[in-house]
Amino acid sequence: MSISNLKQKKSRITIFNEPVICRFCSHDVFIPYEVNVNVEQPGIGVRHARDIAICQHCGEVKLFGDPSYYDAEKDNFIWALNQHLLSVRKYKIKILLYVGKRNNDKITSFINKLIQVLSIEVENMSDLQGGVLLQIKLSSLNEMQTIRFIIIDTAKRMNITIKDLTIK
């Protein structure tokens, strides 16, 4: 399978069943591309295809080739590249939070930070005795544990107490 046959979507790529890993952040989620570059003398117009993948965590570009080959002895073509598309999961999240003295600016900042980091969509926000119940929707490639960590970490950094966090 040539890289040009791979879909330009978030995925995990393997070469001979070994995952392609980012050398900077050690993550393995990439979007593959085929690029054409002029590597000959200027004016000749000879272009060569290069295979790249962009890390979806840090943005590093990984340059690699397709080592697939034809095995004449077995009369079989050995495919080296495989792509495993990542499915987008949909989550419904309920957060019961407290901010001490009811501070709408702090809650708004918290929501805006979650929108920025996770691209959440607020479904409902209701006041409870001394707290706020926040109901949000989220579509993400991230696992539930990662989303939970991001929400809790964001709240801690903003001095917001989460009393209950439910992700379904």
Side-chain angles (χ1 to χ4, degrees), residues 68-144:
S68 300
Y69 64 95
Y70 178 73
D71 186 349
E73 289 180 16
K74 297 180 181 177
D75 192 30
N76 191 13
F77 192 82
I78 308 299
W79 291 108
L81 286 176
N82 285 310
Q83 180 180 31
H84 308 279
L85 295 175
L86 297 176
S87 62
V88 176
R89 296 172 189 92
K90 296 183 186 280
Y91 298 103
K92 292 218 177 240
I93 303 170
K94 289 184 183 179
I95 307 170
L96 179 58
L97 51 99
Y98 292 95
V99 289
K101 287 186 177 179
R102 186 78 167 39
N103 186 338
N104 288 335
D105 291 340
K106 203 177 230 189
I107 293 169
T108 302
S109 295
F110 177 68
I111 291 169
N112 288 338
K113 187 66 174 178
L114 290 181
I115 289 171
Q116 178 187 5
V117 174
L118 292 172
S119 300
I120 66 163
E121 181 181 324
V122 177
E123 284 188 315
N124 189 19
M125 185 170 82
S126 52
D127 290 329
L128 299 176
Q129 298 170 343
V132 172
L133 178 63
L134 186 60
Q135 295 176 326
I136 56 179
K137 288 192 307 187
L138 169 66
S139 295
S140 178
L141 294 172
N142 289 324
E143 297 290 330
M144 197 179 300

Side-chain angles (χ1 to χ4, degrees), residues 19 41 48 99:
Q41 296 175 4
H48 294 279
V99 289

